[in-house]
Amino acid sequence: SVVVAADADEEDTPEAAAAKAATLEKVRALRARLEETIKRNEEADELERIPREDLLIDEKFRDELIAEGDERVAAAKEVLARETLYTDYLGAKIKKECWDTMATHGSAVVGFKDTELVVYNYPLMVEDKRAKLAKGVAFLRRMEVAEQEYLADQGEIPTEDLFDLRVDLPASAGGGDGKKKKKKTEEEEDEEAAAAAAAAAAKAKSSSYESLLYDMFKVYPPRRKITQMVMLQMATREIRRAFNADYDHMVGVKNGYMDRLGDLNIRIGDIRRELKGWTDTTDDGAPVFVPTIELVEIENAPVTVKDSEIKSQRWLSPEERAKKDAEDAAEAARLAARGANDPSERALKDMMGGQLENDEAGKQAEELPKPDWMLETEPEDYSDEQKKLAREYDKKNKVYQEDLLKKRRLLDAELRKTRQEAADIVKTWDQELAEFSARRCDTDARLAQMEAWLVVCANEVEVGADDDVRIELELSEELRDVTEKKAESAAAVAEFQTVVDAAQKRLDACVEQDKKLEANFIRALGDIDEDVIKKLLNLYKRRKNPARKDKTTSRAGKSLRAAGRRVSRAGAALRAADKLKSSKGAESLAAAAAAMIAKPPDAEADTGGADNVVLAARVDPFHGAVGGPAAELKHKPRPPPVEPLDPDFDRSEDIREKDWEKLVEHREKKIEKEAELRGIKEDMDEIQSYMFRLTEKDAVLQARIDELEGEIEAHAGARFARMYDFLVPITVRQGLAEAIVPDLTPTGLEVTKAAEADVMLIQRDVVNTLNNSIFKHCEGKVKRLTAIKDFKKGIYDLEWENARLDMEADDLVAKIKELQMTRADSALLPDILYDPMDAKTEEDALSERKKKEMDSLQRRVNHAVKLHARLLADKKKEVQKVRRKIESIASQNEEISLKAAKMRESVSEYERIRDSRSAAAGGKDNAAIAAEMKMRSVVSQSKLQHIARAQAEELTVLEDEVERLRLRTFPSFVERTDTVRLPDIHARPTSRRQY
């Protein structure tokens, strides 16, 4: 062969196309010459014929082509081997994962005539560790069921349930009465067999996984849902396995039918061959039905490859090819050795026409075979002996034909019966398979219901065990973090509260000292004129001088102003020293204060506010914080500077020199104390502001804790409600699957939504249980009321008897008085009152009556003792209830008192903050504040006393109510003394009788 390659990069020009066409034409001419030469060589004589391998001239090129072909073949083999290995490995993995892991492979049974009727089995996997887990769960579930049955029947266990060694013995074996056993009839044996089968089926059903399933209304706990999931999985597997057992039975039935149809078809073929050529047959010659096995009915069909499915030619290795050539050569040598006249073939041609099958083989002759002399001699030439033999032959032939006709008719009837039987088998199988298909549909519906229930349980377990737990953990973790922050915040508030208290004490001390300064000033003035005192007090309290016409200032004024500035610097230094007392030594603080006091005015003017800011930053612990003094130094308004007194303008003639000096001295102290107080108040404002931020942060954390606790409680409630509000699969009859919600209003939307939201599915057993409980309580109440009525009836009988005896005693007393009034002789009294003949009888009657009275009194005493013990027990129970209620109310009072104390502390803190702020703005007197706080404490104490008194009264009312309810519940035997009436005369009831 010649290979022509074109350059891929060459442009497709007309010249190139023409050259390509010329080259192809040349190649075709060479191919035609080569083919012609080969043909001529093959048609030449054997002596002139050249071997095919010697026909080529260029042997080197031939060897190159062969080598190139071998290389390409080797490369193709390698690629194919790799692809085959990959395909085999992939198929082996798929087979191992998807085929070998199946205990039951998928297959189907198909109908005979109705080929569309196909029923599949259920593929089942090999049991793994899940089956072992399910067995353990099933064992625990059986223990639970047994425990429930025992608890339900506790004390009422029938004797049949007890273990008996004679359970398998016949009825007469354990009696030992020696009676002969009755021979059982067939009906009794059938009944016993049916009962035994039913008992075995019930036992198998009771031991199945489906019998261990929980009731659909009792799977609300998550653990029960998990158990239900395991039981549902194994129950579905159990149902599939049971259906597969029936499927195997159906496969066996079909195989039996197919074997029977094969036998019938063989018989039909035999009969038809025997009846061939008989025109009176009823057979129409229709082809018989031959059952076949479909591909879906073969279990191993997916993993079995037939030779007919391989379309490509099988590749043979050199060894296999040499072996095949040797076998072909041996067969050719064997045929050549037999020669042209093979005896076996000659016999087949002579005897059976060259065919192994002959339709005439089973055909019976229409008449008896004639003797040879009848075939050789004409009937006219028969001799007498031959005629006699001919008549005998005719008789035998007639009998033979009659027997043959009978036989053919019997065979025809058998053919009809056989064909009908084959048709009945086909029809029966299709009907049985249709019924089995309906069973498969019912099983599918049953499995679908179980699997839907399984999905519902899995979803609810996933929501309950994953989402709910995750949300609960997140909320708990956040609550723990917030609680830790709250504890830190509470510790910071408590720690900083000590700082606030110390600052408040210092502020109160400074305010008290400031108030004492004015009193000390008045006390230092002594006895002077009141007008002078008023003028001095005005000058003492004045901080800014009025406008003056003369702007000159004296040396004393300048010195006073300088002294005022030094005093201001000293106050600032003292405040800084107080702030840094915990962190710096007293020497450094004193040095800083001395430096500030000794700082000259000129230096202060030169440095300006920068030194103040630097100093404040150095001595201020709140420097850098938002809202601190250093941050607000430039923006916070400062009071105007205190102007010194000028004796030239401010001192009047009636003010003495020593009084003026006292005024200046005390005024400087007052100004210094006011500067100190102002600094302390500023510090207090900063401390209170920081305290307010701490309390706000603490309140925010507490609010977040309350919010998280509410969320946790709401989540727990929703989880609890969702646990009982679970999906339940129900079976609805056909035609009732669609529920129509009525439109209750003209618009109907809101009411319909409300009706749908208010719908609740309640199990009938729950309603029956509730009704039984109500009936049980009602029966108990009726019994108690009947007992009370009978008891009161006995009381009324005793009252009537007592009244009758009282009346008889009154009658006897009246008779005695009447006899006494007759003033009869004492000798007649024994005859009137006593009977001498019955003296002994009277004594016996008296002793018997006394004995009866003693017995009656003893019974009354015993009854009174029992009644007293019961009443005492009831009283003790009531006392215990009242004590528990008192303890509960006392604990509530303690909690209320603790809350009130906490509230008082927080209120006092807020009041101190408010009072300090109001005092900074103009303030209120400490005495008034103390009085107000005392008044509030008195009011709170009074309110608490009122609350305690009200609760004590409430306890008294509750005790009275308990006593009243007790008297309503039990009959009272207290005799009323307000009215006296006969026992048969009852007062008209004024109200409804209470029991």
Side-chain angles (χ1 to χ4, degrees):
S1 64
V2 179
V3 180
V4 180
D7 191 3
D9 297 334
E10 186 180 358
E11 297 181 359
D12 193 7
T13 59
E15 293 80 4
K20 183 178 181 180
T23 304
L24 291 175
E25 185 64 28
K26 186 177 180 180
V27 169
R28 279 194 293 270
L30 291 174
R31 183 183 291 117
R33 289 178 61 188
L34 179 62
E35 291 175 354
E36 184 181 359
T37 303
I38 294 172
K39 183 178 181 182
R40 286 171 58 191
N41 182 55
E42 290 178 352
E43 293 176 354
D45 191 12
E46 186 175 357
L47 296 176
E48 298 177 355
R49 189 183 303 163
I50 301 172
R52 183 73 172 81
E53 58 272 10
D54 296 338
L55 186 61
L56 296 176
I57 300 174
D58 194 353
E59 295 181 356
K60 182 179 180 181
F61 182 65
R62 182 194 63 180
D63 296 338
E64 291 178 358
L65 289 178
I66 292 173
E68 183 182 355
D70 293 340
E71 291 178 359
R72 293 175 63 186
V73 168
K77 284 182 179 180
E78 185 179 357
V79 172
L80 291 176
R82 187 182 298 109
E83 292 178 355
T84 304
L85 179 61
Y86 173 75
T87 305
D88 291 343
Y89 177 74
L90 188 61
K93 290 291 289 184
I94 294 174
K95 184 174 180 295
K96 181 179 179 181
E97 295 293 335
C98 303
W99 186 262
D100 296 341
T101 56
M102 302 299 293
T104 302
H105 299 97
S107 60
V109 286
V110 186
F112 284 150
K113 285 292 184 67
D114 189 2
T115 56
E116 295 182 355
L117 181 59
V118 182
V119 179
Y120 293 89
N121 68 341
Y122 290 104
L124 292 177
M125 295 184 66
V126 179
E127 292 186 353
D128 52 2
K129 59 183 180 181
R130 289 179 295 181
K132 185 177 180 181
L133 174 64
K135 290 179 181 178
V137 175
F139 176 76
L140 296 178
R141 174 63 181 144
R142 289 190 183 94
M143 294 299 101
E144 183 182 4
V145 171
E147 183 182 5
Q148 290 176 355
E149 291 177 355
Y150 172 75
L151 294 177
D153 301 334
Q154 190 176 11
E156 301 178 1
I157 302 177
T159 57
E160 296 85 18
D161 294 340
L162 298 177
F163 180 72
D164 191 0
L165 293 175
R166 300 173 300 170
V167 69
D168 294 331
L169 294 178
S172 60
D177 51 359
K179 293 182 181 179
K180 290 181 76 176
K181 294 194 227 177
K182 279 188 179 182
K183 189 173 181 180
K184 297 181 181 178
T185 61
E186 293 184 358
E187 295 181 356
E188 292 178 351
E189 291 179 354
D190 294 340
E191 291 178 357
E192 289 182 358
K203 184 176 181 181
K205 184 176 180 181
S206 63
S207 62
S208 64
Y209 286 100
E210 189 176 2
S211 64
L212 301 177
L213 294 175
Y214 286 100
D215 187 76
M216 64 179 63
F217 288 91
K218 297 180 181 179
V219 292
Y220 44 86
R223 294 186 181 274
R224 282 194 178 181
K225 289 187 178 70
I226 296 174
T227 305
Q228 189 81 338
M229 288 169 56
V230 177
M231 293 295 102
L232 283 172
Q233 290 176 354
M234 299 309 296
T236 54
R237 181 181 178 88
E238 196 174 45
I239 292 172
R240 290 187 176 96
R241 189 187 294 113
F243 182 83
N244 288 343
D246 297 339
Y247 172 84
D248 295 338
H249 174 70
M250 292 297 292
V251 171
V253 171
K254 183 178 181 180
N255 292 332
Y257 284 159
M258 291 181 66
D259 295 339
R260 180 59 181 164
L261 284 175
D263 296 339
L264 293 176
N265 291 339
I266 292 173
R267 182 57 183 164
I268 289 171
D270 295 340
I271 293 174
R272 282 183 174 179
R273 280 192 295 271
E274 291 182 8
L275 296 179
K276 188 175 181 180
W278 187 48
T279 58
D280 293 338
T281 182
T282 57
D283 184 24
D284 55 357
V288 296
F289 175 76
V290 179
T292 57
I293 301 295
E294 300 293 336
L295 186 62
V296 294
E297 297 182 88
I298 303 174
E299 183 176 354
N300 296 326
V303 293
T304 304
V305 180
K306 298 180 180 180
D307 294 337
S308 60
E309 296 178 354
I310 302 176
K311 304 300 181 182
S312 61
Q313 185 179 1
R314 183 181 179 185
W315 178 81
L316 297 177
S317 63
E319 294 80 5
E320 293 175 346
R321 188 176 297 278
K323 183 178 179 181
K324 187 175 183 302
D325 293 340
E327 291 176 356
D328 294 342
E331 181 65 19
R334 187 182 65 82
L335 294 176
R338 292 169 62 181
N341 192 9
D342 189 5
S344 60
E345 292 182 359
R346 187 174 67 251
L348 181 63
K349 290 179 180 180
D350 294 342
M351 297 176 64
M352 303 186 67
Q355 296 181 358
L356 293 176
E357 293 183 0
N358 189 3
D359 294 337
E360 300 295 332
K363 184 179 178 182
Q364 193 171 1
E366 295 291 334
E367 59 183 11
L368 288 176
K370 293 181 179 181
D372 294 337
W373 60 269
M374 292 184 71
L375 296 175
E376 296 175 356
T377 308
E378 296 293 333
E380 293 83 5
D381 299 333
Y382 286 169
S383 62
D384 295 336
E385 187 68 24
Q386 290 178 342
K387 288 181 180 178
K388 183 178 179 181
L389 294 174
R391 288 194 295 269
E392 291 178 359
Y393 170 78
D394 291 338
K395 290 180 181 179
K396 291 180 180 179
N397 188 25
K398 185 178 181 180
V399 172
Y400 173 77
Q401 289 182 352
E402 290 177 356
D403 293 339
L404 180 62
L405 181 61
K406 290 179 181 179
K407 181 180 180 181
R408 285 179 173 176
R409 287 178 178 174
L410 290 175
L411 290 175
D412 186 63
E414 184 181 357
L415 178 62
R416 290 197 305 270
K417 182 179 179 181
T418 305
R419 293 189 61 184
Q420 184 64 36
E421 184 180 356
D424 292 341
I425 288 175
V426 173
K427 185 178 179 181
T428 302
W429 169 248
D430 289 343
Q431 291 177 354
E432 290 180 359
L433 190 60
E435 295 176 357
F436 191 64
S437 177
R439 283 185 56 193
R440 167 65 191 246
C441 294
D442 296 339
T443 306
D444 288 341
R446 187 178 173 190
L447 291 174
Q449 183 179 7
M450 286 188 175
E451 289 173 353
W453 197 4
L454 176 63
V455 171
V456 168
C457 291
N459 182 34
E460 292 180 355
V461 168
E462 181 70 18
V463 172
D466 187 9
D467 296 345
D468 291 344
V469 173
R470 177 178 53 80
I471 295 172
E472 186 175 355
L473 289 176
E474 290 176 356
L475 292 175
S476 300
E477 185 176 358
E478 186 178 358
L479 179 61
R480 184 173 61 255
D481 296 340
V482 176
T483 304
E484 291 177 357
K485 293 180 181 178
K486 174 65 173 62
E488 295 176 359
S489 176
V493 169
E495 183 179 359
F496 196 73
Q497 184 64 39
T498 57
V499 179
V500 174
D501 296 339
Q504 185 66 36
K505 289 180 180 178
R506 190 174 61 181
L507 178 61
D508 296 340
C510 189
V511 170
E512 189 67 25
Q513 293 174 6
D514 184 62
K515 290 180 179 179
K516 289 180 179 179
L517 288 176
E518 186 175 354
N520 294 335
F521 172 65
I522 296 174
R523 193 180 300 109
L525 291 177
D527 297 334
I528 58 176
D529 191 9
E530 293 182 0
D531 295 334
V532 177
I533 291 176
K534 290 181 180 179
K535 290 178 181 180
L536 291 174
L537 286 175
N538 290 332
L539 293 174
Y540 179 80
K541 295 178 181 180
R542 194 178 70 186
R543 298 295 179 264
K544 187 176 181 181
N545 295 330
R548 299 189 177 97
K549 295 180 180 179
D550 190 2
K551 299 299 183 181
T552 59
T553 56
S554 60
R555 183 180 297 176
K558 292 181 180 180
S559 62
L560 287 174
R561 284 194 294 272
R565 286 193 293 271
R566 289 195 298 272
V567 169
S568 299
R569 288 197 300 273
L574 290 173
R575 289 195 302 274
D578 292 334
K579 291 179 182 178
L580 294 177
K581 184 180 294 183
S582 60
S583 60
K584 291 188 177 182
E587 296 179 358
S588 59
L589 293 176
M596 290 184 66
I597 295 172
K599 190 174 182 180
D602 296 337
E604 182 182 359
D606 293 338
T607 56
D611 291 338
N612 293 333
V613 174
V614 173
L615 180 62
R618 188 168 61 251
V619 301
D620 186 11
F622 301 100
H623 175 67
V626 178
E632 298 177 357
L633 189 59
K634 294 194 297 183
H635 305 287
K636 190 171 182 180
R638 296 290 182 177
V642 179
E643 297 181 358
L645 297 176
D646 192 351
D648 296 336
F649 292 94
D650 298 329
R651 179 181 177 185
S652 59
E653 296 179 354
D654 53 353
I655 297 176
R656 297 177 298 178
E657 181 66 25
K658 62 178 183 178
D659 295 335
W660 179 260
E661 291 177 357
K662 291 179 181 179
L663 172 63
V664 172
E665 181 183 357
H666 286 277
R667 187 171 180 271
E668 289 179 355
K669 291 181 180 179
K670 179 68 173 177
I671 292 170
E672 182 180 349
K673 184 58 69 175
E674 288 178 351
E676 182 183 357
L677 181 61
R678 187 163 51 250
I680 294 174
K681 287 182 179 180
E682 291 176 357
D683 296 342
M684 191 64 187
D685 291 339
E686 293 297 332
I687 292 173
Q688 289 176 350
S689 177
Y690 185 69
M691 184 65 182
F692 183 73
R693 287 196 296 273
L694 287 179
T695 52
E696 279 187 345
K697 181 181 178 181
D698 188 71
V700 169
L701 292 174
Q702 183 63 40
R704 181 56 182 165
I705 289 174
D706 296 339
E707 182 180 355
L708 287 174
E709 289 177 351
E711 291 179 2
I712 291 174
E713 185 177 358
H715 176 68
R719 185 177 181 183
F720 183 79
R722 189 163 51 250
M723 183 176 66
Y724 286 94
D725 187 14
F726 53 88
L727 297 176
V728 176
I730 58 175
T731 304
V732 183
R733 293 182 180 179
Q734 187 176 3
L736 301 177
E738 295 81 15
I740 301 176
V741 180
D743 191 1
L744 303 177
T745 60
T747 59
L749 182 60
E750 298 297 332
V751 177
T752 303
K753 287 183 178 179
E756 291 176 353
D758 197 37
V759 171
M760 183 180 295
L761 180 64
I762 301 177
Q763 189 186 13
R764 185 178 297 276
D765 295 340
V766 176
V767 179
N768 294 335
T769 303
L770 181 61
N771 292 338
N772 293 334
S773 177
I774 293 174
F775 291 153
K776 184 177 180 181
H777 288 293
C778 290
E779 290 176 358
K781 184 175 181 180
V782 170
K783 289 180 180 179
R784 286 193 293 271
L785 292 176
T786 305
I788 292 172
K789 184 188 70 173
D790 296 339
F791 194 77
K792 286 192 173 182
K793 184 178 180 181
I795 293 173
Y796 294 152
D797 292 339
L798 292 175
E799 289 180 352
W800 176 264
E801 184 67 20
N802 292 333
R804 184 182 65 80
L805 294 175
D806 291 339
M807 294 174 66
E808 288 180 358
D810 294 339
D811 293 340
L812 292 174
V813 169
K815 287 180 180 180
I816 290 172
K817 289 182 178 179
E818 184 178 356
L819 289 174
Q820 290 176 353
M821 292 300 294
T822 57
R823 299 182 184 278
D825 189 6
S826 60
L828 297 176
L829 289 177
D831 297 334
I832 295 172
L833 297 177
Y834 303 102
D835 188 2
M837 299 299 296
D838 296 335
K840 188 174 181 180
T841 305
E842 187 68 23
E843 290 178 358
D844 295 340
L846 181 61
S847 63
E848 185 69 22
R849 187 164 57 252
K850 287 182 179 180
K851 184 177 180 181
K852 290 182 178 180
E853 289 179 357
M854 291 297 294
D855 294 339
S856 176
L857 291 175
Q858 186 63 34
R859 287 195 298 271
R860 290 185 182 181
V861 168
N862 294 335
H863 176 70
V865 170
K866 292 180 180 179
L867 183 61
H868 175 71
R870 187 172 62 187
L871 293 177
L872 184 60
D874 293 339
K875 289 291 185 180
K876 288 182 179 179
K877 290 181 181 179
E878 297 296 332
V879 169
Q880 291 294 333
K881 290 181 181 178
V882 172
R883 285 179 179 175
R884 286 195 295 269
K885 193 159 188 178
I886 291 172
E887 291 175 357
S888 175
I889 293 175
S891 62
Q892 292 178 3
N893 290 337
E894 291 179 359
E895 293 178 357
I896 291 171
S897 62
L898 292 175
K899 289 182 180 179
K902 292 181 180 179
M903 292 173 67
R904 282 198 299 273
E905 290 178 1
S906 69
V907 168
S908 62
E909 291 176 3
Y910 282 110
E911 285 178 353
R912 282 200 299 271
I913 294 171
R914 186 197 61 193
D915 295 340
S916 61
R917 290 181 177 176
S918 61
K924 189 189 289 187
D925 191 11
N926 286 338
I929 295 173
E932 186 177 357
M933 291 177 64
K934 187 174 181 181
M935 186 63 188
R936 288 181 180 177
S937 64
V938 170
V939 171
S940 300
Q941 185 68 21
S942 177
K943 288 182 178 179
L944 290 175
Q945 290 178 356
H946 285 301
I947 292 171
R949 192 178 299 111
Q951 290 179 352
E953 293 176 356
E954 185 179 357
L955 284 175
T956 305
V957 172
L958 289 174
E959 291 177 356
D960 296 339
E961 182 67 19
V962 167
E963 181 66 21
R964 187 181 66 81
L965 292 175
R966 189 188 65 78
L967 293 176
R968 285 183 60 185
T969 305
F970 300 99
S972 177
F973 300 100
V974 179
E975 184 178 1
R976 296 184 59 182
T977 58
D978 52 352
T979 58
V980 178
R981 60 181 183 274
L982 294 177
D984 56 346
I985 301 176
H986 298 282
R988 186 176 182 180
T990 57
S991 61
R992 188 176 180 181
R993 179 174 296 175
Q994 302 291 333
Y995 292 100

